[in-house]
Amino acid sequence: MGGFKLFIIMDVDDCTEEQKEAFKDKSMFLEHWLYDYIVPIYNEPNLEQTMSDIGIGIDKHNKSKYEDVFPIVQNGKNDPEKIKRLYEQLKDCKRSNLNVYVKHCLDVWKMK
């Protein structure tokens, strides 16, 4: 499974402090057969706050519009420049490590 990664994304506002830390340090998955491939991605307290911190608003009442917020695919085509901008916005965010996932997406796109 060369290069395979399983990104698990979690908002940490609805779990205990112990669960949050076990998720972030990956100890929650120690017994799972995919442990070596799991990459925990967290948002503190949640994705809406993470996005707000980097200047992207998400309507809490219409979460079905995430595809408008995340510029990964528009009209069936990838837009690497928009993805790079999203990565740049996320990389210094202290509430999340979502930049790890976005960077991986960019790296995979470059390999094509």
Side-chain angles (χ1 to χ4, degrees):
M1 283 201 242
F4 174 77
K5 293 185 181 194
L6 178 60
F7 293 92
I8 301 174
I9 301 174
M10 182 170 100
D11 289 348
V12 297
D13 59 351
D14 57 355
C15 63
T16 67
E17 190 65 28
E18 293 79 21
Q19 290 169 325
K20 177 175 87 170
E21 292 309 314
F23 179 82
K24 289 170 70 174
D25 71 15
K26 203 171 145 178
S27 63
M28 176 181 285
F29 308 104
L30 277 173
E31 301 299 320
H32 198 280
W33 66 279
L34 287 172
Y35 177 83
D36 292 338
Y37 307 102
I38 292 173
V39 181
I41 303 295
Y42 63 89
N43 294 290
E44 290 189 49
N46 53 45
L47 181 60
E48 293 82 14
Q49 187 61 54
T50 295
M51 293 296 102
S52 177
D53 284 2
I54 65 170
I56 298 173
I58 293 180
D59 181 356
K60 294 180 183 183
H61 303 291
N62 191 3
K63 292 183 182 182
S64 66
K65 291 292 192 175
Y66 279 119
E67 65 269 14
D68 294 340
V69 174
F70 291 98
I72 306 305
V73 177
Q74 292 182 346
N75 300 327
K77 297 180 182 180
N78 291 320
D79 188 338
E81 291 307 313
K82 287 184 179 182
I83 299 168
K84 287 177 192 174
R85 282 194 297 275
L86 179 62
Y87 169 74
E88 289 299 321
Q89 289 174 286
L90 285 167
K91 74 178 185 178
D92 295 325
C93 183
K94 304 295 185 221
R95 291 185 185 271
S96 178
N97 67 339
L98 187 58
N99 64 300
V100 172
Y101 171 70
V102 175
K103 177 77 165 85
H104 177 76
C105 293
L106 283 168
D107 292 344
V108 168
W109 179 82
K110 286 179 189 176
M111 293 188 321
K112 290 184 175 186

